[in-house]
Every structure is written in C-alpha cells, then in structure tokens.
Amino acid sequence: MTEPIDATQTSTTGDARRIVELAAATNTTMSNKLLLDTLRRNAQVTTRHIRTDFVEVATATAVLGYVCRQGSEYTALRGDDPAWAQEIGRYGTESLAVEALRMRRA
C-alpha cells in the first residue's frame, strides 16, 4: 500500500513529488537515487546537547549520530550508540558536522 505524498509548501516530500510528476509528464525515467537524494536534502534534524562538547543529532524517528568537539574541530560520529559510532569526518564548525550527518547516506 502506498501513502499519498502531501505537496504543500511545508512538505519535505513535495520536491520528490514534483520530480515524479515532471518525469511522468515528459515520459522520462528517473532513478531511485535521485528521489532519495531529494528527500535527504529536505530531511529535518534536531540537536540535543548532552554535554557542552557532545551533541546528539536525530530525525523525528531515529538518531543519526553525534557531534563531538575535540579542540577546535568537531567530529561527526554516525550511529545511534556513541560507544559504537563511526567517525565520518572532522569539521571546522558544529553546523557543518550536523549537516554531514544529515546528508550522509546510510
């Protein structure tokens, strides 16, 4: 069963719907990768400061990872358990590290 996609201004899936409609109207094919990338770009995340140097990054349904400050760098850790999370990169600002987790492919 499929769910209808709400294409309102506040919808995070509206762009994906427009891509599907454009492809259907022009008789072109598209990849699932394009749709997933569109949805990822629009994913909304929240941050929660666990300590002054440690931040949890999550969507409404899952924890994406953590951002840990180490000196002047911010390390992005992918995974829902900080003990087992994998480092995906080091960034100059906390917001860049959060963005890296948001855009990271599973």
XYZ file of all heavy atoms in Angstrom:
815
model
N 0.842 -1.170 0.000
C 0.000 0.000 0.000
C 0.890 1.237 0.000
O 1.888 1.300 0.692
C -0.877 -0.028 1.242
C -1.901 1.056 1.244
S -3.187 0.700 2.441
C -2.767 1.884 3.674
N 0.540 2.219 -0.776
C 1.319 3.446 -0.830
C 0.559 4.568 -0.149
O -0.670 4.579 -0.121
C 1.608 3.858 -2.280
O 0.375 4.042 -2.957
C 2.429 2.800 -2.997
N 1.318 5.493 0.379
C 0.720 6.653 1.026
C 0.766 7.827 0.062
O 1.731 7.992 -0.671
C 1.508 7.014 2.283
C 1.365 6.024 3.390
C 2.072 6.494 4.636
O 2.147 7.713 4.855
O 2.532 5.638 5.382
N -0.264 8.661 0.052
C -0.211 9.850 -0.802
C 0.851 10.819 -0.293
O 1.108 10.896 0.903
C -1.614 10.450 -0.677
C -2.137 9.917 0.611
C -1.488 8.578 0.811
N 1.468 11.516 -1.222
C 2.501 12.488 -0.862
C 1.867 13.865 -0.801
O 1.235 14.311 -1.758
C 3.654 12.471 -1.883
C 4.323 11.099 -1.885
C 4.652 13.567 -1.596
C 5.378 10.951 -2.938
N 2.027 14.515 0.323
C 1.496 15.859 0.518
C 2.456 16.854 -0.121
O 3.623 16.912 0.248
C 1.352 16.129 2.014
C 0.824 17.521 2.288
O 0.206 18.114 1.383
O 1.026 18.000 3.407
N 1.991 17.611 -1.083
C 2.856 18.543 -1.797
C 2.649 19.980 -1.341
O 2.712 20.908 -2.125
C 2.617 18.436 -3.295
N 2.406 20.180 -0.067
C 2.229 21.535 0.445
C 3.572 22.218 0.575
O 4.623 21.588 0.478
C 1.535 21.512 1.820
O 2.384 20.820 2.735
C 0.187 20.840 1.742
N 3.569 23.491 0.829
C 4.810 24.247 0.977
C 5.660 23.725 2.124
O 6.869 23.774 2.059
C 4.496 25.729 1.218
C 4.066 26.466 -0.013
C 5.218 26.701 -0.974
O 6.199 25.989 -1.008
N 5.094 27.720 -1.780
N 5.040 23.222 3.175
C 5.805 22.766 4.323
C 6.195 21.297 4.210
O 6.893 20.784 5.053
C 4.995 22.952 5.623
O 3.773 22.222 5.504
C 4.691 24.414 5.868
N 5.759 20.632 3.148
C 6.053 19.218 2.982
C 7.511 19.003 2.620
O 8.066 19.689 1.772
C 5.175 18.623 1.883
O 5.588 17.329 1.576
N 8.129 18.012 3.238
C 9.517 17.678 2.876
C 9.535 16.726 1.701
O 10.593 16.468 1.152
C 10.258 17.034 4.058
O 9.565 15.852 4.435
C 10.362 17.986 5.226
N 8.382 16.197 1.308
C 8.327 15.281 0.171
C 7.749 15.954 -1.065
O 7.623 15.324 -2.107
C 7.486 14.039 0.522
O 6.205 14.473 0.934
C 8.144 13.219 1.601
N 7.411 17.216 -0.983
C 6.846 17.931 -2.128
C 7.783 17.974 -3.313
O 7.353 17.817 -4.461
N 9.072 18.189 -3.100
C 10.046 18.212 -4.190
C 10.106 16.863 -4.888
O 10.197 16.790 -6.112
C 11.437 18.590 -3.671
C 11.530 20.054 -3.283
O 10.672 20.849 -3.720
O 12.461 20.400 -2.537
N 10.073 15.789 -4.114
C 10.113 14.453 -4.703
C 8.879 14.228 -5.571
O 8.966 13.665 -6.662
C 10.203 13.394 -3.613
N 7.746 14.680 -5.095
C 6.519 14.518 -5.883
C 6.605 15.292 -7.188
O 6.211 14.800 -8.247
C 5.320 14.984 -5.066
C 4.025 14.815 -5.837
C 2.835 15.336 -5.067
N 1.658 15.137 -5.863
C 0.541 14.648 -5.398
N 0.435 14.319 -4.139
N -0.494 14.505 -6.180
N 7.128 16.513 -7.131
C 7.265 17.306 -8.345
C 8.202 16.637 -9.343
O 7.972 16.682 -10.550
C 7.726 18.714 -7.999
C 6.597 19.572 -7.421
C 7.001 21.021 -7.245
N 7.831 21.229 -6.063
C 7.372 21.263 -4.819
N 6.108 21.092 -4.582
N 8.188 21.466 -3.809
N 9.256 15.986 -8.866
C 10.178 15.277 -9.753
C 9.459 14.110 -10.430
O 9.601 13.887 -11.631
C 11.417 14.791 -8.979
C 12.282 15.988 -8.597
C 12.224 13.801 -9.803
C 13.425 15.654 -7.670
N 8.670 13.363 -9.661
C 7.912 12.242 -10.221
C 6.929 12.746 -11.269
O 6.809 12.168 -12.355
C 7.175 11.470 -9.098
C 6.208 10.454 -9.680
C 8.178 10.784 -8.187
N 6.209 13.818 -10.972
C 5.233 14.363 -11.917
C 5.911 14.872 -13.181
O 5.398 14.671 -14.292
C 4.431 15.471 -11.253
C 3.469 14.960 -10.188
C 2.823 16.063 -9.381
O 3.267 17.237 -9.469
O 1.867 15.753 -8.641
N 7.066 15.520 -13.046
C 7.800 16.015 -14.207
C 8.262 14.850 -15.082
O 8.154 14.898 -16.307
C 9.005 16.857 -13.764
C 9.893 17.388 -14.885
C 9.101 18.339 -15.781
C 11.108 18.079 -14.306
N 8.771 13.790 -14.462
C 9.224 12.624 -15.227
C 8.059 11.982 -15.968
O 8.184 11.577 -17.124
C 9.890 11.619 -14.295
N 6.897 11.900 -15.326
C 5.723 11.306 -15.975
C 5.248 12.180 -17.136
O 4.884 11.671 -18.200
C 4.604 11.124 -14.954
N 5.273 13.486 -16.951
C 4.808 14.402 -17.988
C 5.733 14.411 -19.208
O 5.283 14.613 -20.332
C 4.678 15.813 -17.425
N 7.012 14.186 -18.988
C 7.982 14.228 -20.098
C 8.366 12.842 -20.587
O 9.233 12.713 -21.436
C 9.246 14.998 -19.674
O 9.814 14.352 -18.530
C 8.926 16.441 -19.357
N 7.714 11.817 -20.054
C 7.994 10.434 -20.452
C 9.467 10.057 -20.268
O 10.065 9.414 -21.109
C 7.582 10.176 -21.902
C 6.280 9.428 -21.980
O 5.793 8.924 -20.975
N 5.707 9.372 -23.167
N 10.066 10.495 -19.185
C 11.450 10.145 -18.892
C 11.498 9.238 -17.668
O 10.563 9.193 -16.873
C 12.306 11.395 -18.616
O 11.734 12.118 -17.527
C 12.381 12.289 -19.830
N 12.598 8.532 -17.549
C 12.768 7.670 -16.383
C 13.686 8.372 -15.400
O 14.439 9.274 -15.757
C 13.385 6.319 -16.776
O 14.648 6.557 -17.393
C 12.487 5.566 -17.729
N 13.611 7.946 -14.184
C 14.486 8.523 -13.170
C 14.894 7.434 -12.210
O 14.255 6.389 -12.116
C 13.794 9.634 -12.437
C 12.598 9.173 -11.700
S 12.052 10.592 -10.954
C 10.648 10.332 -10.347
N 15.937 7.694 -11.514
C 16.454 6.680 -10.597
C 15.927 6.907 -9.190
O 15.542 8.021 -8.824
C 17.979 6.718 -10.578
O 18.424 7.912 -9.984
N 15.927 5.840 -8.422
C 15.564 5.957 -7.004
C 16.576 6.825 -6.279
O 16.249 7.495 -5.310
C 15.497 4.580 -6.359
C 14.278 3.816 -6.816
O 13.305 4.400 -7.254
N 14.350 2.509 -6.730
N 17.823 6.824 -6.752
C 18.876 7.627 -6.132
C 18.507 9.114 -6.163
O 18.693 9.825 -5.183
C 20.203 7.398 -6.849
C 21.373 8.125 -6.238
C 22.643 7.769 -6.997
C 23.852 8.421 -6.399
N 23.892 9.849 -6.478
N 17.960 9.570 -7.278
C 17.551 10.973 -7.388
C 16.467 11.302 -6.374
O 16.520 12.323 -5.697
C 17.060 11.277 -8.802
C 16.517 12.687 -9.047
C 17.598 13.729 -8.841
C 15.933 12.795 -10.438
N 15.487 10.414 -6.243
C 14.416 10.649 -5.274
C 14.945 10.640 -3.851
O 14.592 11.492 -3.038
C 13.325 9.591 -5.420
C 12.388 9.763 -6.595
C 11.466 8.561 -6.704
C 11.597 11.035 -6.463
N 15.806 9.673 -3.526
C 16.357 9.595 -2.171
C 17.214 10.810 -1.854
O 17.154 11.342 -0.747
C 17.165 8.314 -1.999
C 16.333 7.040 -1.937
C 17.242 5.816 -1.907
C 15.413 7.048 -0.744
N 18.013 11.266 -2.820
C 18.825 12.464 -2.590
C 17.952 13.679 -2.338
O 18.253 14.508 -1.482
C 19.759 12.729 -3.775
C 20.948 11.796 -3.799
O 21.206 11.127 -2.776
O 21.615 11.726 -4.839
N 16.839 13.789 -3.072
C 15.914 14.916 -2.872
C 15.320 14.871 -1.477
O 15.241 15.884 -0.785
C 14.797 14.874 -3.930
O 15.396 14.918 -5.220
C 13.857 16.051 -3.770
N 14.902 13.686 -1.035
C 14.331 13.559 0.305
C 15.372 13.816 1.379
O 15.080 14.426 2.403
C 13.713 12.171 0.483
C 12.460 11.917 -0.352
C 12.047 10.465 -0.254
C 11.329 12.827 0.075
N 16.624 13.371 1.171
C 17.683 13.607 2.159
C 17.967 15.089 2.321
O 18.191 15.579 3.407
C 18.963 12.889 1.738
C 18.998 11.465 2.142
C 20.380 10.893 1.890
N 20.289 9.463 1.866
C 20.285 8.727 0.763
N 20.411 9.285 -0.403
N 20.182 7.423 0.835
N 18.002 15.809 1.198
C 18.287 17.244 1.280
C 17.248 17.964 2.125
O 17.531 18.977 2.735
C 18.327 17.856 -0.125
C 19.612 17.612 -0.864
C 19.707 18.497 -2.069
N 18.647 18.284 -3.023
C 18.679 17.391 -4.012
N 19.708 16.609 -4.149
N 17.669 17.286 -4.841
N 16.033 17.432 2.132
C 14.956 18.084 2.867
C 14.744 17.499 4.263
O 13.841 17.925 4.972
C 13.651 17.985 2.076
C 13.703 18.821 0.830
O 14.316 19.864 0.819
N 13.091 18.363 -0.232
N 15.536 16.532 4.650
C 15.368 15.907 5.968
C 15.607 16.948 7.064
O 16.571 17.694 7.024
C 16.329 14.745 6.131
N 14.711 16.973 8.019
C 14.864 17.899 9.135
C 15.423 17.142 10.333
O 14.966 16.047 10.646
C 13.528 18.532 9.473
C 13.022 19.425 8.362
C 11.778 20.170 8.762
O 11.308 20.077 9.878
N 11.243 20.936 7.840
N 16.417 17.719 10.970
C 17.036 17.093 12.132
C 16.937 18.019 13.334
O 16.786 19.227 13.191
C 18.518 16.733 11.872
C 18.635 15.730 10.746
C 19.355 17.953 11.577
N 17.035 17.406 14.490
C 17.089 18.182 15.728
C 18.399 17.846 16.426
O 18.970 16.782 16.221
C 15.917 17.832 16.657
O 15.959 16.439 16.939
C 14.589 18.184 16.030
N 18.857 18.788 17.230
C 20.068 18.547 18.005
C 19.741 18.677 19.484
O 18.890 19.483 19.868
C 21.186 19.549 17.635
O 20.731 20.867 17.858
C 21.610 19.386 16.190
N 20.430 17.863 20.276
C 20.233 17.903 21.728
C 21.608 17.858 22.378
O 22.371 16.919 22.165
C 19.399 16.701 22.168
C 19.152 16.660 23.661
C 18.183 15.550 24.016
N 18.705 14.239 23.712
C 19.160 13.372 24.618
N 19.145 13.694 25.900
N 19.613 12.198 24.261
N 21.928 18.885 23.146
C 23.224 18.943 23.821
C 23.200 18.013 25.028
O 22.471 18.247 25.990
C 23.555 20.380 24.247
C 23.959 21.230 23.099
N 25.264 21.372 22.703
C 23.229 21.968 22.237
C 25.328 22.166 21.647
N 24.103 22.539 21.353
N 24.006 16.963 24.951
C 24.132 16.024 26.060
C 25.119 16.585 27.081
O 24.887 16.530 28.286
C 24.580 14.644 25.542
C 23.486 14.088 24.628
C 24.870 13.693 26.692
C 23.873 12.840 23.889
N 26.219 17.117 26.584
C 27.204 17.859 27.373
C 27.581 19.080 26.556
O 27.122 19.239 25.433
C 28.461 16.996 27.606
C 28.244 15.780 28.443
C 29.574 15.119 28.806
N 30.519 15.079 27.699
C 31.050 13.959 27.180
N 30.694 12.797 27.658
N 31.909 14.020 26.198
N 28.419 19.929 27.099
C 28.809 21.126 26.353
C 29.621 20.778 25.106
O 29.625 21.536 24.148
C 29.634 22.085 27.233
O 30.778 21.398 27.725
C 28.804 22.623 28.378
N 30.282 19.619 25.096
C 31.113 19.235 23.962
C 30.562 18.024 23.204
O 31.245 17.427 22.387
C 32.535 18.934 24.426
C 32.602 17.754 25.387
O 31.558 17.402 25.968
O 33.700 17.192 25.556
N 29.293 17.652 23.436
C 28.731 16.445 22.836
C 27.261 16.678 22.490
O 26.448 17.006 23.355
C 28.854 15.279 23.824
C 28.839 13.934 23.181
C 29.942 13.465 22.489
C 27.721 13.131 23.262
C 29.938 12.215 21.903
C 27.701 11.875 22.674
C 28.815 11.412 21.992
N 26.902 16.508 21.201
C 25.568 16.806 20.707
C 24.986 15.580 20.001
O 25.668 14.949 19.198
C 25.608 17.989 19.707
C 24.245 18.277 19.131
C 26.178 19.224 20.360
N 23.725 15.263 20.298
C 23.024 14.191 19.598
C 22.268 14.797 18.421
O 21.619 15.823 18.554
C 22.038 13.517 20.548
C 21.226 12.414 19.892
C 20.173 11.869 20.835
O 19.123 12.544 20.984
O 20.418 10.799 21.412
N 22.337 14.143 17.246
C 21.648 14.595 16.044
C 20.636 13.523 15.668
O 20.993 12.362 15.512
C 22.646 14.820 14.882
C 21.914 15.294 13.631
C 23.725 15.809 15.287
N 19.358 13.922 15.526
C 18.307 12.937 15.254
C 17.244 13.496 14.328
O 17.055 14.707 14.235
C 17.658 12.504 16.566
N 16.551 12.580 13.646
C 15.346 12.930 12.918
C 14.180 12.658 13.865
O 14.399 12.286 15.019
C 15.184 12.085 11.638
O 15.044 10.714 12.009
C 16.359 12.265 10.698
N 12.978 12.775 13.374
C 11.813 12.505 14.219
C 11.715 11.037 14.602
O 11.114 10.697 15.613
C 10.544 12.943 13.504
N 12.334 10.155 13.818
C 12.191 8.720 14.054
C 13.453 7.998 14.484
O 13.369 6.879 14.973
C 11.665 8.024 12.777
O 12.586 8.281 11.710
C 10.281 8.519 12.410
N 14.632 8.589 14.291
C 15.869 7.859 14.592
C 17.018 8.802 14.929
O 17.055 9.946 14.479
C 16.267 7.000 13.392
N 17.949 8.286 15.698
C 19.185 9.012 15.993
C 20.140 8.791 14.826
O 20.404 7.651 14.438
C 19.828 8.512 17.308
C 21.182 9.170 17.522
C 18.908 8.783 18.477
N 20.641 9.878 14.235
C 21.581 9.774 13.125
C 23.009 9.617 13.612
O 23.809 8.922 13.005
C 21.492 11.006 12.230
C 20.157 11.257 11.543
C 20.210 12.551 10.756
C 19.793 10.086 10.662
N 23.335 10.304 14.689
C 24.698 10.248 15.190
C 24.957 11.334 16.210
O 24.034 11.899 16.796
N 26.236 11.632 16.364
C 26.671 12.570 17.399
C 27.750 13.482 16.845
O 28.477 13.119 15.920
C 27.206 11.801 18.608
C 26.167 10.889 19.198
C 26.002 9.593 18.739
C 25.309 11.344 20.189
C 25.023 8.764 19.253
C 24.327 10.533 20.716
C 24.191 9.240 20.246
O 23.206 8.426 20.757
N 27.852 14.655 17.421
C 28.926 15.598 17.110
C 29.685 15.842 18.395
O 29.100 16.226 19.407
C 28.381 16.916 16.532
C 29.502 17.927 16.349
C 27.658 16.668 15.217
N 30.984 15.595 18.329
C 31.842 15.734 19.497
C 32.895 16.800 19.221
O 33.575 16.751 18.191
C 32.504 14.387 19.789
S 33.612 14.420 21.191
N 33.027 17.754 20.139
C 34.048 18.791 19.975
C 35.361 18.294 20.549
O 35.430 17.841 21.696
C 33.623 20.072 20.674
C 34.625 21.175 20.460
C 34.171 22.466 21.042
N 35.149 23.488 20.702
C 35.073 24.713 21.085
N 34.070 25.100 21.822
N 35.997 25.576 20.746
N 36.403 18.379 19.735
C 37.746 17.985 20.151
C 38.695 19.111 19.773
O 39.073 19.240 18.616
C 38.171 16.678 19.488
C 37.290 15.515 19.884
C 37.622 14.247 19.127
O 38.077 14.286 17.999
N 37.404 13.125 19.777
N 39.014 19.931 20.755
C 39.853 21.097 20.495
C 39.102 22.101 19.650
O 38.015 22.540 20.008
N 39.650 22.445 18.482
C 38.983 23.401 17.599
C 38.209 22.702 16.482
O 37.680 23.360 15.595
C 40.025 24.339 16.987
O 40.924 23.601 16.184
N 38.134 21.373 16.521
C 37.424 20.612 15.492
C 36.167 19.957 16.055
O 36.062 19.711 17.251
C 38.317 19.504 14.924
C 39.477 19.984 14.113
C 40.248 18.817 13.538
O 40.444 17.806 14.246
O 40.650 18.925 12.379
N 35.238 19.682 15.155
C 34.017 18.969 15.509
C 33.997 17.659 14.729
O 34.051 17.668 13.503
C 32.782 19.812 15.178
C 32.681 21.045 16.026
C 33.324 22.221 15.675
C 31.943 21.031 17.203
C 33.241 23.355 16.463
C 31.849 22.161 18.002
C 32.502 23.312 17.624
O 32.420 24.432 18.416
N 33.922 16.548 15.445
C 33.934 15.232 14.830
C 32.508 14.724 14.704
O 31.763 14.700 15.690
C 34.763 14.248 15.679
O 36.075 14.787 15.847
C 34.845 12.893 15.016
N 32.115 14.315 13.484
C 30.795 13.741 13.241
C 30.897 12.228 13.396
O 31.729 11.584 12.750
C 30.310 14.101 11.848
N 30.062 11.667 14.260
C 30.042 10.230 14.526
C 28.705 9.664 14.082
O 27.658 10.090 14.565
C 30.256 9.963 16.018
C 31.520 10.557 16.632
C 31.465 10.463 18.148
C 32.740 9.836 16.085
N 28.726 8.702 13.166
C 27.498 8.111 12.624
C 27.118 6.864 13.409
O 27.928 5.971 13.597
C 27.737 7.731 11.161
C 26.564 7.096 10.474
C 25.573 8.130 10.129
N 24.519 7.555 9.312
C 23.456 8.205 8.982
N 23.310 9.443 9.378
N 22.535 7.656 8.268
N 25.885 6.809 13.918
C 25.394 5.653 14.642
C 24.532 6.073 15.810
O 24.630 7.193 16.305
N 23.672 5.153 16.251
C 22.752 5.508 17.330
C 23.312 5.253 18.720
O 22.711 5.636 19.715
C 21.413 4.799 17.159
C 21.553 3.286 17.148
O 22.683 2.787 17.203
O 20.511 2.604 17.084
N 24.474 4.611 18.815
C 25.122 4.361 20.103
C 26.501 5.009 20.078
O 27.347 4.632 19.263
C 25.250 2.855 20.334
C 25.823 2.511 21.695
O 26.359 3.417 22.382
O 25.750 1.340 22.081
N 26.762 5.986 20.934
C 28.047 6.687 20.875
C 29.252 5.765 21.079
O 30.338 6.026 20.566
C 27.966 7.737 21.979
C 26.683 7.548 22.672
C 25.891 6.509 21.959
N 29.064 4.666 21.800
C 30.172 3.746 22.032
C 30.589 3.016 20.758
O 31.747 2.623 20.622
C 29.782 2.724 23.110
N 29.661 2.846 19.821
C 29.936 2.092 18.594
C 29.868 2.954 17.336
O 30.021 2.439 16.228
C 28.952 0.933 18.463
C 29.049 -0.004 19.607
C 28.206 -0.087 20.683
C 30.075 -0.970 19.842
N 28.629 -1.047 21.550
C 29.779 -1.614 21.061
C 31.209 -1.350 19.145
C 30.581 -2.613 21.589
C 32.000 -2.355 19.666
C 31.694 -2.976 20.876
N 29.650 4.237 17.482
C 29.522 5.127 16.327
C 30.847 5.233 15.575
O 31.922 5.163 16.165
C 29.064 6.509 16.782
N 30.734 5.406 14.255
C 31.919 5.515 13.398
C 32.138 6.965 12.978
O 31.185 7.653 12.613
C 31.758 4.658 12.156
C 31.694 3.183 12.456
C 31.546 2.361 11.196
O 31.053 2.851 10.183
N 31.975 1.127 11.248
N 33.378 7.388 13.009
C 33.717 8.741 12.597
C 33.557 8.875 11.095
O 34.053 8.042 10.333
C 35.154 9.073 12.989
C 35.572 10.466 12.606
C 37.005 10.801 13.001
O 37.481 10.276 14.020
O 37.631 11.577 12.270
N 32.833 9.921 10.663
C 32.678 10.153 9.225
C 33.412 11.401 8.757
O 33.523 11.632 7.560
C 31.199 10.228 8.812
C 30.485 11.377 9.512
C 30.499 8.914 9.052
C 29.128 11.686 8.938
N 33.911 12.198 9.690
C 34.662 13.373 9.286
C 34.875 14.348 10.421
O 34.239 14.259 11.464
N 35.806 15.277 10.174
C 36.099 16.352 11.124
C 35.854 17.674 10.420
O 36.257 17.859 9.278
C 37.539 16.265 11.613
C 37.775 15.020 12.446
C 39.257 14.871 12.799
N 39.446 13.621 13.499
C 39.681 13.524 14.796
N 39.766 14.618 15.529
N 39.837 12.350 15.361
N 35.198 18.588 11.133
C 34.749 19.836 10.523
C 35.117 21.024 11.401
O 35.324 20.878 12.598
C 33.234 19.783 10.293
C 32.851 18.599 9.439
C 32.529 17.372 10.024
C 32.865 18.683 8.056
C 32.213 16.268 9.238
C 32.552 17.588 7.272
C 32.234 16.383 7.872
O 31.938 15.295 7.101
N 35.140 22.197 10.783
C 35.513 23.412 11.487
C 34.430 23.986 12.372
O 34.718 24.733 13.303
N 33.175 23.650 12.080
C 32.069 24.156 12.883
C 31.104 23.018 13.221
O 31.046 22.008 12.519
C 31.273 25.257 12.149
O 30.641 24.688 11.002
C 32.161 26.428 11.749
N 30.340 23.233 14.278
C 29.339 22.239 14.673
C 28.265 22.086 13.609
O 27.815 20.981 13.317
C 28.707 22.661 16.001
C 27.699 21.683 16.542
C 27.108 22.142 17.863
O 27.881 22.333 18.825
O 25.875 22.309 17.914
N 27.854 23.189 13.004
C 26.786 23.122 11.999
C 27.209 22.311 10.773
O 26.387 21.604 10.185
C 26.329 24.517 11.594
O 27.388 25.250 11.046
N 28.480 22.381 10.371
C 28.955 21.563 9.251
C 28.945 20.078 9.611
O 28.592 19.236 8.781
C 30.366 21.986 8.835
C 30.472 23.286 8.049
C 31.945 23.645 7.821
C 29.745 23.177 6.725
N 29.298 19.761 10.833
C 29.269 18.369 11.273
C 27.841 17.842 11.323
O 27.569 16.698 10.910
C 29.939 18.237 12.630
N 26.904 18.652 11.776
C 25.486 18.266 11.811
C 24.998 18.058 10.372
O 24.309 17.079 10.070
C 24.635 19.311 12.547
C 23.151 19.056 12.336
C 24.983 19.342 14.022
N 25.357 18.953 9.478
C 24.951 18.835 8.072
C 25.517 17.562 7.441
O 24.849 16.890 6.655
C 25.412 20.061 7.294
C 25.005 20.076 5.843
C 23.512 20.217 5.618
O 22.766 20.485 6.573
O 23.077 20.044 4.476
N 26.738 17.205 7.787
C 27.344 15.976 7.280
C 26.540 14.751 7.722
O 26.327 13.829 6.932
C 28.783 15.856 7.745
N 26.086 14.741 8.944
C 25.259 13.636 9.417
C 23.900 13.626 8.720
O 23.383 12.566 8.368
C 25.059 13.721 10.939
C 26.266 13.341 11.771
C 26.034 13.711 13.231
C 26.562 11.849 11.632
N 23.334 14.779 8.505
C 22.029 14.871 7.839
C 22.103 14.364 6.396
O 21.219 13.656 5.943
C 21.531 16.315 7.849
C 20.105 16.474 7.356
C 19.673 17.922 7.412
N 20.298 18.720 6.386
C 19.860 18.804 5.121
N 18.814 18.125 4.749
N 20.468 19.564 4.247
N 23.154 14.693 5.704
C 23.280 14.330 4.294
C 23.908 12.952 4.073
O 23.899 12.449 2.971
C 24.129 15.379 3.565
C 23.450 16.722 3.445
S 21.975 16.680 2.427
C 22.684 16.363 0.828
N 24.465 12.372 5.100
C 25.180 11.095 4.969
C 24.260 9.985 4.505
O 23.187 9.799 5.045
C 25.819 10.718 6.304
C 26.719 9.547 6.246
C 27.997 9.948 5.600
N 28.913 8.819 5.659
C 30.099 8.827 5.142
N 30.534 9.916 4.555
N 30.862 7.798 5.194
N 24.717 9.260 3.523
C 23.955 8.107 3.044
C 24.141 6.956 3.995
O 25.222 6.751 4.529
C 24.416 7.717 1.653
C 23.948 8.700 0.610
C 24.744 8.544 -0.655
N 24.285 9.410 -1.697
C 24.482 10.695 -1.771
N 25.149 11.301 -0.834
N 24.034 11.407 -2.767
N 23.085 6.186 4.187
C 23.137 5.053 5.107
C 24.024 3.942 4.607
O 24.389 3.830 3.511
C 21.734 4.521 5.332
